[in-house]
Amino acid sequence: MENLQRIFVNIGEYCIVKNNNTILEIVGLGSCVAVILYDKINKIYGMAHIMLPSSSQAKGNVNLKKFADTGIKMMLEEMKKMGGRFFEAIIVGGACLFESQIQDPIMKIGERNIEAVKEVLNQQNISIVKEDVGGNFGRTVSFDTSNCIVYVKSQKYGLKQL
Amino acid sequence: MKFIPISDILKEMATVAAGRSTSALAEMLDLKVDIKVPSVRFVKFQELPKELSEFYEKEVIGIYFKFFGGLEGDMLCFMTKDTAKNLINILLGEETQEFNDSLDIIKAAIKEVGNITANSYINAITDFLNLEKTVISVPFYSHDILSSILDSLLCQIGAVSDEVIILDTSLRTEKVEMGFKILTFLQQESIEKIYSRIEKLI
């Protein structure tokens, strides 16, 4: 993993590469969901850092890449234009880090993100081959494009390979 | 009155608020508490890792609040594990070497510190601007690396904006090494409200 170029995917953004010597990474995912899409045959790899379930929640002129419905589609369209056809997905994140005696529905944003991401991928007929979602802990996720392996690191469970 | 930059007004406001939090915390802990001059920054979400690089990948204890009414926004008080350990030792009269929050009483004590800090901070701003009452949510406890906590926090506020206004205040106590940071994320409407209120006051 040392010789590979490392690219950090910022919150509400996505990143696509067309080479297999890159690590796409998000440091510290909480309630956001990392959506990893790749086409091994055509060697196109992407990671989106999704913040919210639906662009219908948007108020005013905000970045549409952060919503599951618009963000995933935007990334997918771009990957298709670059020649991608046979997509698989891996999703990570969607945790709930804030705990309280009182259950507050606004704190379920992680769960809602996971649901929304799954729905969008389903609509696009992309199968989710692996996932590590939910829970009450943050994750740092690294996607090694040389072998399509995803590493997830957390305070709770240390480093693990998906 | 467009001559006074909004950032100066917010900074003055943050200083007053931090002062109030400091006295509340000092009283609770029976210690002298100092504040650094607060900073006020307009930050794009993407720039947060750089802005908070000192703590970004560190394990911290964070207490999160939402507030509504006169002012609307979100607030995060966070501290390192060492600070949390020192706080617990003072509050519960213990001498533990390592912070361990598997007991509810530990979490409750830390949340109470957050509660007192947050309430005095927000009430000070509300008083300063003579705004209608601001209601603060119950505290939400989190223990993880700061970037994961912020990632979750931004999901709460991301629908309306791509940037936040951060009032960043650090509290420090004498004798006992303690670092305590308060980040207040204000929504655009609140900023406008503050601005129009200031115009009326002058």
Side-chain angles (χ1 to χ4, degrees), chain B residues 50-147:
Chain B
K50 207 171 58 199
E51 285 289 325
L52 296 164
S53 59
E54 191 189 342
F55 297 98
Y56 204 66
E57 292 184 44
K58 279 218 181 99
E59 187 179 351
V60 298
I61 317 301
I63 317 298
Y64 168 68
F65 301 88
K66 285 182 100 63
F67 48 90
F68 324 81
L71 278 179
E72 305 221 336
D74 299 70
M75 186 172 200
L76 181 72
C77 304
F78 72 89
M79 64 197 98
T80 60
K81 262 175 91 180
D82 260 352
T83 295
K85 179 199 73 185
N86 290 335
L87 271 179
I88 288 299
N89 286 346
I90 293 169
L91 286 169
L92 304 182
E94 292 181 3
E95 281 181 25
T96 47
Q97 298 303 311
E98 178 104 31
F99 180 71
N100 178 346
D101 57 5
S102 54
L103 285 174
D104 280 345
I105 187 172
I106 305 288
K107 287 180 189 168
I110 296 285
K111 279 200 278 192
E112 194 46 32
V113 172
N115 221 350
I116 281 170
T117 315
N119 275 284
S120 49
Y121 196 91
I122 295 296
N123 288 339
I125 295 180
T126 314
D127 290 353
F128 180 76
L129 296 170
N130 203 15
L131 291 168
E132 59 272 42
K133 189 161 172 47
T134 303
V135 180
I136 304 171
S137 76
V138 293
F140 294 90
Y141 184 91
S142 59
H143 177 180
D144 214 303
I145 58 173
L146 179 64
S147 59

Side-chain angles (χ1 to χ4, degrees), chain A residues 4 18 22 25 46 54 58 67 82 97 118 123 127 132 138 162:
Chain A
L4 303 177
K18 208 176 172 350
T22 306
E25 188 164 287
S54 164
F67 302 101
M82 291 164 81
L97 265 63
K118 285 186 173 172
Q123 279 165 8
S127 58
D132 181 15
L162 283 196

